[in-house]
């Protein structure tokens, strides 16, 4: 059987320009990170200084399980300093090969239905036990056996076996588009977890292979210390603390005051609000990829169960204004009618759509509605059933970029005569009721990135993710259904040639443009803020070696690269 092998690769000499931009012209581009700032002198000795990570998610739940949904350890991010993934994936440069981590190599067969995983030798768990192939097999098996733990490969695992030195995992369908999801899975210790229910286990001791171990936990603050038996490059950060902040403004204040030194939050006018407070040390970086933010539309209820109204709304959304005003230039505008971010998506735009760009066309949108039987009562839009058109735009309180974007979208709807209201909700309500249960008219949500556009389209349109309203959805929050699209997404995923993948993508893209199941608003590069007062070595524009955020498997890589800033 021919296998595709991913092993250690040299870093590309080409450097991708990061995409964060200033909110007004003429200023220094903060995406340049440390590049235009004084070089930081560093020390190779472990420091006793604390590195504080902040997230604006409120208090952490007392659940340390790194693979359970809703766990505080992943929401805060500290799970990723303790538990590690099979490979390191650079989401900033999604087409780069992965870097071996807990796996020395992963070999796929030609149709991506089977992967052979070779564990790294010489790794130990933080309790001193050896890390083995059995740990990998167990970590995959509990995901296969428990739907609650398996958002990445639902119903798709086949046989999982070991021969002592390797793990072979089968899949029921080709996983070309999902290979990175396998690479990013966190691995847990079988010798501890096999005596517990992996779904309800809170993993309070947090025995991992990563560069740090848990010292203390409260819902407000979590402290980690270096793992002196770590298999990789020993961390020089003397102590890690993860602090809770209730919202975006709270974390913004902590970052600008130096109370927190690493995190990610949307900061309006970030050049003046954040960077200018200490331009020698404060940095904001952002990188590209295929992630986007989508206005999910409830395709099963008025007014969005009518493709004519979805098309008309798409034609009046001022994406340039949203990017500049709501996103302060951090989130780049989507221009292609295909919804693909550029330049990442250029090679995937079908010939018939190349050069076709989204623009505001109120008159054209009104003609679409007129042709579909809509009328106006004064300025109010009336649907073909004689009912005035109204809908609600919903997102969590405190998510200022989303809420400002919704306001601009609402203005576009009002230009058509639709009554569009913005109603913020409590964050927990949005996560646990609104978006996943389909209890909304329209709501902004992100998509996965990945190394192809498959995740973007699948997250919006895939019938394989469809569940009825009232049942929790992992993706396809708008409940769009089309058998041809579902089949084409499956074909793209299982294809063994680029030609077959592009043929399937053509079908998906045609339906995306013509059916408008959701509105892609802007691209979502990975953004992070950090201070080099105490530590330096974070990803920069000049060296975008990883997604710069602290809440992902890349945290283990970043933490081993940080060095104390010399006094």
């Amino acid at each position: 059987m021919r296998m595709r092998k991913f092993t250690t690769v040299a870093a590309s000499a080409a450097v991708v320009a990061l995409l964060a931009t200033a909110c007004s012209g003429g200023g220094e581009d903060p995406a340049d990170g440390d590049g235009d700032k004084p070089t930081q002198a560093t020390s190779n000795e472990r420091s006793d200084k604390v590195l504080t990570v902040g997230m604006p998610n409120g208090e952490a739940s007392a659940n340390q399980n790194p693979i359970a949904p809703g766990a505080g350890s992943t929401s805060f991010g500290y799970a990723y300093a303790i538990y590690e993934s099979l490979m390191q994936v650079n989401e900033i440069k999604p087409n780069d090969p992965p870097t071996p981590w807990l796996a020395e190599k992963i070999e796929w067969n030609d149709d991506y239905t089977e992967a052979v995983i070779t564990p790294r030798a010489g790794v130990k768990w933080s309790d001193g036990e050896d890390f083995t192939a059995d740990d990998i097999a167990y970590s995959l098996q509990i995901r296969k056996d428990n739907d609650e733990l398996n958002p990445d490969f639902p119903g798709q695992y086949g046989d999982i076996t070991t021969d002592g030195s390797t793990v072979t995992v089968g899949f029921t369908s080709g996983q070309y588009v999902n290979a990175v999801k396998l690479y990013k899975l966190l691995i847990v210790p079988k010798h501890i977890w096999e005596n517990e229910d992996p779904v309800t286990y809170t993993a309070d001791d947090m025995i991992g292979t990563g560069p740090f171990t848990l010292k203390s936990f409260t819902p407000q603050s979590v402290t980690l210390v270096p793992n002196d038996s770590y298999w990789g490059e020993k961390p020089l950060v003397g102590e890690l603390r993860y602090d809770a902040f209730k919202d975006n403004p709270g974390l913004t204040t902590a970052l600008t005051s130096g109370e927190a030194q690493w995190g990610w939050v949307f900061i309006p006018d970030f050049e003046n609000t954040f960077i200018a407070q200490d331009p020698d040390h404060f940095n904001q970086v952002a990188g590209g990829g295929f992630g986007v933010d989508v206005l999910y539309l409830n395709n099963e209820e008025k007014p969005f169960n009518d493709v004519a109204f979805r098309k008309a709304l798409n034609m009046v959304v001022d994406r340039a204004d949203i990017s500049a005003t709501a996103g302060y230039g951090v989130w780049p505008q989507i221009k292609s009618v295909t919804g693909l971010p550029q330049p990442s998506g250029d090679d995937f735009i079908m010939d018939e759509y190349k050069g076709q760009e989204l623009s505001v066309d109120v008159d054209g949108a009104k003609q679409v509605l007129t042709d579909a039987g809509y009328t106006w009562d004064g300025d109010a839009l009336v649907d073909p059933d004689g009912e005035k058109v109204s809908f609600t735009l919903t997102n969590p309180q405190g998510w200022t970029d989303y809420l400002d974007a919704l306001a601009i979208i609402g203005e576009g709807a009002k230009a058509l005569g639709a009554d569009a209201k913005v109603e913020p909700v409590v964050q927990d309500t949005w996560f646990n009721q609104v978006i996943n249960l389909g209890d909304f008219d329209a709501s902004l949500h992100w998509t996965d990135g990945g190394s192809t556009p498959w995740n973007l389209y699948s997250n919006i349109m895939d019938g394989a993710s469809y569940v009825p309203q009232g049942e929790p959805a992992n993706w396809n929050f708008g409940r769009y259904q089309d058998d041809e699209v579902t089949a084409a997404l499956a074909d793209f995923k299982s294809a063994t040639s680029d030609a077959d993948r592009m043929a399937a993508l053509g079908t998906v893209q045609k339906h995306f443009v013509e059916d408008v199941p959701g509105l892609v608003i802007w691209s979502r590069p990975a953004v992070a803020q950090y201070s080099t007062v105490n530590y330096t070595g974070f990803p920069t524009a000049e060296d975008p070696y990883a997604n710069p955020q602290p809440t992902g498997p890349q945290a283990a890589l970043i933490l081993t690269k940080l060095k104390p800033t010399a006094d």
Side-chain angles (χ1 to χ4, degrees), residues 56-403:
N57 298 338
E59 293 185 351
S61 66
N63 184 354
Q64 318 301 354
N65 186 328
I67 61 176
S73 63
T74 50
S75 175
F76 265 39
Y78 58 92
Y80 303 106
I82 296 173
Y83 297 93
E84 296 184 294
S85 57
L86 292 172
M87 294 275 191
Q88 286 289 340
V89 176
N90 188 351
E91 294 172 329
I92 305 304
K93 302 163 72 174
N95 292 319
D96 279 7
T99 299
W101 209 248
L102 286 183
E104 291 184 352
K105 61 183 178 182
I106 297 179
E107 298 173 300
W108 290 91
N109 63 358
D110 285 344
D111 62 3
Y112 281 81
T113 58
E114 185 176 280
V116 178
I117 305 166
T118 301
R120 180 179 295 277
V123 176
K124 290 185 179 294
W125 295 99
S126 57
D127 63 357
E129 293 290 323
D130 288 337
F131 163 78
T132 69
D134 288 340
D135 294 310
I136 296 176
Y138 173 79
S139 298
L140 299 176
Q141 189 68 45
I142 58 174
R143 289 175 167 95
K144 175 183 177 180
D145 294 342
N146 298 278
D147 292 341
E148 304 94 323
L149 307 179
N150 188 24
D152 294 317
F153 300 102
Q156 297 169 54
Y157 280 113
D159 292 336
I160 301 169
T161 60
T162 65
D163 68 359
S165 59
T166 62
V167 179
T168 300
V169 52
F171 295 93
T172 58
S173 59
Q175 299 297 327
Y176 173 80
V177 299
N178 287 329
V180 293
K181 293 182 179 180
L182 178 65
Y183 305 153
K184 291 165 64 176
L185 290 181
L186 297 182
I187 305 303
V188 299
K190 178 183 178 182
H191 68 279
I192 293 176
W193 283 56
E194 64 183 343
N195 298 315
E196 308 286 347
D197 179 342
V199 177
T200 60
Y201 183 41
T202 57
D204 294 337
D205 291 337
M206 298 195 78
I207 303 301
T209 59
F212 286 83
T213 60
L214 179 66
K215 178 181 179 181
S216 64
F217 168 86
T218 71
Q220 298 79 29
S221 186
V222 180
T223 300
L224 309 185
V225 293
N227 177 5
D228 289 328
S229 62
Y230 183 54
W231 61 269
E233 188 171 350
K234 300 297 187 291
L236 301 181
V237 175
E239 182 173 292
L240 265 177
R241 189 169 69 230
Y242 293 76
D243 284 351
F245 299 91
K246 68 177 183 179
D247 53 24
N248 286 6
L251 179 53
T252 299
T253 299
L255 288 165
T256 55
S257 69
E259 179 185 353
Q261 299 93 45
W262 187 19
W264 64 279
V265 62
F266 176 74
I267 303 177
D269 194 12
F270 62 91
E271 277 192 305
N272 294 315
T273 302
F274 175 57
I275 302 293
Q277 306 310 307
D278 187 350
D280 287 342
H281 297 102
F282 287 179
N283 302 268
Q284 175 165 299
V285 293
F290 285 103
V292 297
D293 281 338
V294 180
L295 184 70
Y296 280 90
L297 308 174
N298 190 330
N299 282 234
E300 296 190 326
E301 294 187 2
K302 282 188 172 185
F304 299 116
N305 60 353
D306 184 0
V307 65
F309 186 75
R310 300 197 301 265
K311 284 182 177 179
L313 183 63
N314 194 40
M315 294 170 69
V316 297
V317 171
D318 192 340
R319 291 169 171 83
D321 187 20
I322 292 174
S323 177
T325 304
Y328 282 85
V330 178
W331 313 131
Q333 173 189 354
I334 291 292
K335 296 183 178 180
S336 172
V337 295
T338 65
L340 294 181
Q342 296 171 281
S344 301
D346 284 346
D347 291 341
F348 295 94
I349 296 175
M350 296 295 112
D351 288 343
E352 61 192 290
Y353 300 122
K354 288 187 183 299
Q356 291 194 32
E357 295 192 347
L358 295 157
S359 62
V360 176
D361 183 2
V362 175
D363 290 340
K366 287 184 174 180
Q367 188 61 54
V368 169
L369 294 172
T370 299
D371 293 344
Y374 287 75
T375 57
W376 282 262
D377 180 2
D379 291 332
L381 180 63
V382 180
D383 70 20
D385 296 329
E387 298 178 354
K388 291 184 178 179
V389 176
S390 65
F391 62 92
T392 300
L393 296 147
T394 306
N395 271 115
Q397 298 169 355
W399 290 18
T400 52
D401 54 342
Y402 272 14
L403 294 175

